[in-house]
């Protein structure tokens, strides 16, 4: 039997107060090496973060601040760069339909490690 170990990195508590969350979806995130090291230290802020679905069926998270890794020198990353979220096509098309309605948005609720991989819990 496989055990699923999760380690919470950050929780966006304010999002549940500011938005009415209808549904949530778990997705992966595309990161650089130094970004993962910064996440292990907990140097991330989800306060102003949101996700967008592009016309070419890609989902990006914008406004998520991951602080540069202290020992990363030239391999460090941009703190506020858009990061691609990893979802199946059918999940992306479902999100496109839901976000297309008036007043709907994609907000990251939490960020956590699940079996060594970084996952994002998106709220609709």
């Amino acid at each position: 039997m496989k055990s699923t170990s999760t380690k919470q990195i950050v929780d966006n508590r304010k999002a549940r107060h500011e938005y009415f969350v209808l549904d949530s979806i778990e997705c992966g995130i595309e990161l650089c090496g130094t970004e993962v090291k910064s996440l292990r230290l907990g140097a991330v802020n989800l306060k102003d973060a949101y996700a967008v679905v592009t016309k070419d069926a890609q989902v990006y998270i914008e406004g998520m601040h991951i602080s540069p890794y202290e020992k990363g020198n030239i391999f460090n990353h941009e703190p506020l760069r858009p990061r691609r979220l990893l979802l199946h096509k059918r999940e992306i098309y479902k999100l496109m339909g839901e976000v297309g309605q008036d007043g709907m948005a994609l907000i990251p609720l939490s960020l956590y490690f699940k079996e060594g991989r970084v996952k994002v819990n998106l709220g609709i």
Side-chain angles (χ1 to χ4, degrees):
M1 186 172 180
K2 194 174 188 180
S3 66
T4 58
S5 60
T6 61
K7 180 187 172 201
Q8 187 78 21
I9 300 170
V10 67
D11 191 22
N12 192 357
R13 289 185 224 134
K14 211 171 190 181
R16 295 210 185 259
H17 294 288
E18 293 178 359
Y19 300 96
F20 181 72
V21 180
L22 296 174
D23 194 15
S24 66
I25 187 168
E26 178 185 80
C27 55
I29 186 168
E30 190 177 273
L31 297 170
C32 299
T34 57
E35 289 176 327
V36 177
K37 291 181 179 190
S38 292
L39 288 178
R40 290 199 187 280
L41 296 174
V44 63
N45 186 359
L46 287 178
K47 184 179 176 185
D48 299 326
Y50 61 95
V52 293
V53 182
T54 61
K55 293 186 192 274
D56 60 342
Q58 298 288 328
V59 182
Y60 289 93
I61 189 165
E62 310 238 350
M64 182 171 73
H65 186 277
I66 299 178
S67 299
Y69 185 57
E70 299 157 359
K71 300 171 186 162
N73 60 35
I74 63 168
F75 299 109
N76 267 332
H77 56 278
E78 287 291 318
L80 286 172
R81 74 176 183 88
R83 293 163 179 93
R84 189 167 68 132
L85 297 178
L86 307 173
L87 292 158
H88 291 283
K89 284 288 183 190
R90 66 178 182 277
E91 293 172 329
I92 294 173
Y93 291 133
K94 178 184 171 196
L95 288 178
M96 286 173 84
E98 290 179 355
V99 174
Q101 299 173 11
D102 286 340
M104 298 296 226
L106 294 173
I107 305 297
L109 300 175
S110 64
L111 203 64
Y112 53 93
F113 285 105
K114 183 175 182 180
E115 297 175 8
R117 302 188 193 279
V118 180
K119 300 289 183 178
V120 178
N121 190 11
L122 271 184
I124 301 167

